[in-house]
Amino acid sequence: MKNRSTLLRVPARWKAGLLALALLVAGLAAPAKSYAVTSGPGVWDLMIFGNYDLVSPNTGNAYSSIPAPLTSPTWANTMQNGYGAGIGTAYWFNDVLALRVMAQGNFYQLKSPATGSMESAPLTGGLEAKLYGGPDYYLYAVVDAGAAYELDLPNNTSPTLSGKGSTSAWSAYGDVGLGVNIDWVFVEVKLAYLPDSIPHSTTSQNALWYIPVTAGFNF
């Protein structure tokens, strides 16, 4: 009976050993959970995003020196709302403040078929400051500044033509706004400013400002 009992106990030990081994193998084979956070000292973020750009309803005259009795058009009645996309990176100095660099492109269709379109490519550096929240879920403020390369400027049939006949030029650029980060997704609403959106004009003009609504992924 002793031998029989011993024989019965051995398979049970094997089963326990095999179960422990199976659990160990499963633990090693399972994908490890990532504990990387979105913000914090020394953290790098990669941002990929899209924009929808709301043209200001009251940006003033696109051309302010058109002879009377002609009416100078505003940006709002000259340009459609725009859209675009971009990529950026951010480095967090601490739990609150990050430096970020971004490149993006935006496209605006002009309302008159004869005047075509305008494209703007801002290249910026800026600061992101956390206002409330933790490492992955937080509200933040942002300010960016840089330059925008304006492409495809309206042709000579446009009321907002480039005075020197150029179809491209640089303009300064700046924006300020608020954003919310929800783990790997972020949304921003900003006020953007182009002080010379149609450069090389032979007559004076007012700047263009617009409201970019941005949504994207934060890796």
Side-chain angles (χ1 to χ4, degrees):
M1 294 295 295
K2 182 177 180 180
N3 291 340
R4 182 179 179 184
S5 176
T6 302
L7 290 174
L8 290 175
R9 285 197 300 269
V10 171
R13 292 175 183 173
W14 288 356
K15 290 179 182 179
L18 289 173
L19 179 60
L21 181 61
L23 291 175
L24 178 62
V25 172
L28 294 174
K33 181 179 179 180
S34 173
Y35 290 94
V37 293
T38 307
S39 65
V43 172
W44 284 92
D45 291 334
L46 173 66
M47 297 168 286
I48 300 174
F49 57 89
N51 293 331
Y52 186 73
D53 302 316
L54 303 168
V55 175
S56 166
N58 184 22
T59 56
N61 295 337
Y63 246 33
S64 59
S65 299
I66 291 181
L70 299 178
T71 301
S72 178
T74 65
W75 289 118
N77 63 35
T78 301
M79 289 173 26
Q80 312 259 13
N81 289 339
Y83 56 89
I87 188 170
T89 185
Y91 175 76
W92 287 86
F93 298 110
N94 49 46
D95 290 324
V96 176
L97 189 65
L99 172 69
R100 70 183 200 172
V101 177
M102 307 183 82
Q104 55 184 297
N106 297 294
F107 174 84
Y108 301 89
Q109 182 66 48
L110 301 186
K111 292 185 177 180
S112 170
T115 57
S117 62
M118 187 178 91
E119 298 167 20
S120 177
L123 306 173
T124 62
L127 293 175
E128 184 175 324
K130 190 184 301 182
L131 302 177
Y132 176 79
D136 295 312
Y137 301 86
Y138 53 88
L139 176 70
Y140 62 92
V142 64
V143 57
D144 301 299
Y149 191 56
E150 308 302 318
L151 305 169
D152 231 4
L153 295 179
N155 56 37
N156 291 336
T157 62
S158 170
T160 57
L161 60 92
S162 173
K164 293 182 179 179
S166 174
T167 59
S168 63
W170 284 95
S171 172
Y173 172 91
D175 66 40
V176 61
L178 293 174
V180 59
N181 192 90
I182 306 172
D183 202 0
W184 49 275
V185 175
F186 72 95
V187 178
E188 295 178 358
V189 179
K190 296 176 290 186
L191 179 65
Y193 182 73
L194 285 168
D196 194 16
S197 53
I198 305 291
H200 305 315
S201 172
T202 55
T203 56
S204 61
Q205 62 185 33
N206 291 339
L208 166 66
W209 61 268
Y210 61 97
I211 301 173
V213 179
T214 300
F217 301 101
N218 195 353
F219 302 102

